[in-house]
Amino acid sequence: MDEVNCTETVSIATWSKTAGQVKTQTESTLRLLRAQPGTVSGADSLGFGTQTDLQFEDEGVARPGNIFTPHQVSQTIRMLCSVTSRPQELAFQLRELTLPQLKTLWQEASFKCRNDWQPLLDALPACGSENCVMLLTELMKEKELEDEQAHSFLTTIALIPNPSPQIIHSINTLVDVQEVRDKALLAGSSLIHQLCQRSPTPCIDLPQVQALIQTLEVSLKECCELQGPAKIKEFIYAMKSVGNMGLAASTFIPLLNHCGLKHSAPLELRLAAIKAFRRFDCSTNRTLLLQLYRSSLEDSEVRIAAYQELMRCPDQDVFEAVKVILRNENSSQVGSFVWSHLTNILRSEDPMKQTLIDSLPDDIISRDFEADFLKYSSYSDYTATNGMGITNVETTVIFSPKSFLPSSVSANLTVYFHGRASNLLEVDLHIENAEPLLKSILGQLSPSTNGEPTSSDEKHSVSKEARRTRGKINEDHLGGKDACLSSTDSYLKQARALVRSQQRVADNDDAAVLS
């Protein structure tokens, strides 16, 4: 080939109404100047590969190309060990192999390179085919992988964009493996959400989906009963899996209502039950959320979480309820969060929030609240626009009346590029029992620690004793008036000492309860 001409046209739809559509066109020409004989070595010696054009590939469509044998793939693995670069051709080659061929390849080529790198093990999760996932799940069940590797691979598998029912079935088989059960529930529920989004028919009728739903129902049967920390952690993972699925709302709604309303249940379980509504359809019955947000006797964290889920699918009835509740709000934490959320939403430039902004009533903010983010719960929204796209950052800080430290902090980063919204990062931190720890750290710098006198206490006692001695000597020379004043001062000192001792006992009791 002597010459190649390539014309590339890229159209970008911006969010600016005045700029409109931006189109760039690039023309490239490659000409062959000279040719000379030579030998290839190293990474360039990988002669076999997948030859394709520049068109984008549609997920789920059969890819034309070479059919590789296990022997050829094994040769690729050995070549990868001899070069410093790590090409991704191995993952594409694995997609074409059947499950028996993959098992044979694993038995023959499951060795490590000199630098402790195992190319086949790294390529299996990136492969993403049914057979690759089935081989990985079998390795996890047979305990051939370390727990850390298994958790990492399940996270990778959860990102498969077009999963099949067979892949979900393979993940379902891992719920009986205790070491990876929680991670398997999260991965399987995320894959079900991807499957149902692309399925032209209701995916809830699939047996693979029904199997995971039944597993979650059994796991959550006694989730709101008093349990140990390990059991509570298992329930929280199951609740998050329900939120990941975003379907079968009619199945889980009674259970979520029961757990969300039960005051004796641990706070983290109640919050998990509320947040499980995040992917449910807007037609789902959300009476629980409005009931919790409206109740002034509820915990402020519960009310704020219920408000956030309500605003994912708001209507005019919800707006009216928010306006009335905000006008009569007696909780400074809940009121400040709702006020800051509505204020930031009304001035947000995030494209995904424009529909919500247009539907908000003009008089929904019926009352102002404090905006000190170091003392009160708050929500912030920041949007930046540049030549490459739009970046939106959301942060929340939630305080509880039980502590001067925030009880939870979250951040969400979303990037809009070429007309697509990509949620790159979402972090949610829940803080518990941090105040006793902080007290113990600061207590080392205070005059007294756990009621035991320090060096400063001893000096203070000596000075007090000296003052008492001088007062006693002076009493012998003072009249009745001075003696009365000295007696009154002594009674006041005793009363102060009694109050201090009662406060110390109360602080110790509070620390014991929080721990």
Side-chain angles (χ1 to χ4, degrees):
M1 188 174 296
D2 295 330
E3 182 176 332
V4 175
N5 296 311
C6 178
T7 301
E8 180 184 10
T9 303
V10 178
S11 299
I12 303 176
T14 64
W15 294 106
S16 175
K17 296 181 180 179
T18 57
Q21 191 180 52
V22 179
K23 180 181 292 186
T24 62
Q25 183 170 312
T26 305
E27 295 183 358
S28 304
T29 301
L30 299 177
R31 293 189 180 91
L32 177 63
L33 299 180
R34 61 177 179 174
Q36 60 185 22
T39 58
V40 295
S41 61
D44 297 332
S45 62
L46 298 177
F48 45 84
T50 302
Q51 188 176 10
T52 182
D53 51 27
L54 294 177
Q55 295 182 354
F56 290 102
E57 294 181 353
D58 188 10
E59 291 288 343
V61 178
R63 291 175 291 273
N66 299 333
I67 304 299
F68 298 97
T69 64
H71 178 70
Q72 290 176 316
V73 179
S74 179
Q75 283 186 333
T76 302
I77 296 174
R78 294 184 181 277
M79 289 182 179
L80 289 177
C81 285
S82 63
V83 296
T84 56
S85 61
R86 301 183 180 182
Q88 302 301 317
E89 287 295 332
L90 182 59
F92 291 99
Q93 294 177 11
L94 293 177
R95 292 179 180 179
E96 310 299 334
L97 300 184
T98 63
L99 182 58
Q101 289 176 328
L102 285 173
K103 290 182 178 180
T104 303
L105 181 64
W106 173 258
Q107 294 173 359
E108 295 179 354
S110 59
F111 53 83
K112 293 184 178 180
C113 303
R114 292 182 180 179
N115 55 357
D116 202 31
W117 173 45
Q118 197 167 357
L120 179 57
L121 191 57
D122 285 355
L124 280 173
C127 166
S129 67
E130 292 182 0
N131 296 326
C132 290
V133 174
M134 291 172 65
L135 177 60
L136 274 176
T137 53
E138 288 189 14
L139 295 177
M140 294 178 196
K141 287 187 292 184
E142 296 172 1
K143 307 295 180 64
E144 294 192 35
L145 303 180
E146 298 178 359
D147 293 344
E148 185 177 350
Q149 285 180 322
H151 291 171
S152 176
F153 292 161
L154 284 173
T155 301
T156 305
I157 292 173
L159 302 177
I160 295 177
N162 192 18
S164 64
Q166 184 60 40
I167 291 180
I168 296 174
H169 172 72
S170 300
I171 301 299
N172 288 343
T173 60
L174 296 176
V175 297
D176 296 328
V177 182
Q178 192 62 34
E179 292 79 5
V180 297
R181 172 185 171 84
D182 297 334
K183 203 71 174 181
L185 288 176
L186 294 177
S189 57
S190 299
L191 292 173
I192 288 178
H193 178 70
Q194 296 287 345
L195 176 65
C196 294
Q197 278 190 320
R198 293 166 170 78
S199 177
T201 59
C203 64
I204 192 174
D205 298 329
L206 295 174
Q208 295 84 357
V209 177
Q210 286 289 338
L212 188 59
I213 291 177
Q214 293 174 4
T215 301
L216 291 174
E217 287 177 340
V218 173
S219 300
L220 296 172
K221 187 175 182 181
E222 299 177 353
C223 73
C224 292
E225 305 300 328
L226 295 178
Q227 304 284 349
K231 202 69 176 176
I232 292 177
K233 179 182 177 182
E234 179 182 337
F235 291 151
I236 291 177
Y237 272 104
M239 284 287 189
K240 289 184 177 181
S241 300
V242 172
N244 283 348
M245 293 173 63
L247 80 165
S250 59
T251 303
F252 293 104
I253 285 296
L255 186 143
L256 298 179
N257 290 343
H258 173 70
C259 192
L261 292 172
K262 192 166 185 178
H263 293 84
S264 61
L267 177 61
E268 55 264 41
L269 275 183
R270 298 187 67 195
L271 294 176
I274 295 171
K275 294 178 181 180
F277 283 86
R278 61 191 180 92
R279 281 182 173 174
F280 283 179
D281 190 82
C282 289
S283 60
T284 304
N285 184 0
R286 297 171 181 264
T287 306
L288 167 70
L289 303 177
L290 186 57
Q291 180 179 348
L292 292 175
Y293 170 54
R294 182 175 283 152
S295 176
S296 59
L297 301 178
E298 283 290 350
D299 186 275
S300 59
E301 289 186 74
V302 172
R303 295 187 60 199
I304 291 174
Y307 166 79
Q308 288 179 288
E309 295 305 321
L310 272 176
M311 295 302 287
R312 293 184 187 274
C313 293
D315 53 22
Q316 294 304 317
D317 294 337
V318 171
F319 292 148
E320 186 64 27
V322 170
K323 181 174 66 174
V324 174
I325 295 172
L326 189 62
R327 183 187 303 121
N328 304 315
E329 186 60 70
N330 55 11
S331 172
S332 58
Q333 297 297 340
V334 178
S336 61
F337 183 87
V338 175
W339 177 83
S340 63
H341 178 263
L342 294 175
T343 303
N344 279 269
I345 288 296
L346 286 173
R347 62 190 182 197
S348 174
E349 298 178 1
D350 185 4
M352 297 294 291
K353 299 184 179 72
Q354 294 306 312
T355 303
L356 176 60
I357 294 173
D358 295 338
S359 59
L360 282 174
D362 296 335
D363 58 345
I364 190 171
I365 302 179
S366 54
R367 179 183 165 191
D368 291 338
F369 284 83
E370 293 286 346
D372 189 353
F373 70 95
L374 294 177
K375 294 171 55 179
Y376 300 103
S377 303
S378 62
Y379 168 91
S380 63
D381 182 285
Y382 175 76
T383 304
T385 305
N386 52 38
M388 298 298 296
I390 301 175
T391 302
N392 177 256
V393 179
E394 297 175 291
T395 61
T396 63
V397 179
I398 299 177
F399 286 87
S400 172
K402 303 173 185 177
S403 173
F404 63 90
L405 296 174
S407 57
S408 66
V409 179
S410 67
N412 190 2
L413 173 62
T414 304
V415 175
Y416 300 89
F417 185 70
H418 282 185
R420 292 179 178 268
S422 300
N423 186 224
L424 299 183
L425 179 66
E426 185 172 353
V427 180
D428 191 355
L429 301 178
H430 193 74
I431 306 171
E432 291 184 359
N433 300 328
E435 193 169 15
L437 178 62
L438 186 60
K439 284 184 177 180
S440 64
I441 296 175
L442 297 179
Q444 298 176 2
L445 306 176
S446 64
S448 177
T449 305
N450 296 330
E452 295 294 331
T454 61
S455 58
S456 59
D457 284 335
E458 293 174 358
K459 294 179 182 178
H460 189 59
S461 299
V462 171
S463 62
K464 287 174 65 179
E465 190 66 25
R467 284 197 298 270
R468 286 199 193 98
T469 304
R470 287 196 298 269
K472 185 176 181 180
I473 295 174
N474 292 332
E475 270 187 63
D476 296 336
H477 303 283
L478 292 175
K481 181 178 179 180
D482 292 336
C484 180
L485 291 174
S486 177
S487 176
T488 304
D489 184 66
S490 177
Y491 287 134
L492 289 174
K493 290 180 179 179
Q494 294 178 10
R496 292 191 190 100
L498 179 61
V499 170
R500 289 195 186 98
S501 63
Q502 290 177 348
Q503 289 178 346
R504 189 179 296 111
V505 172
D507 290 341
N508 291 335
D509 290 343
D510 292 341
V513 171
L514 290 173
S515 61

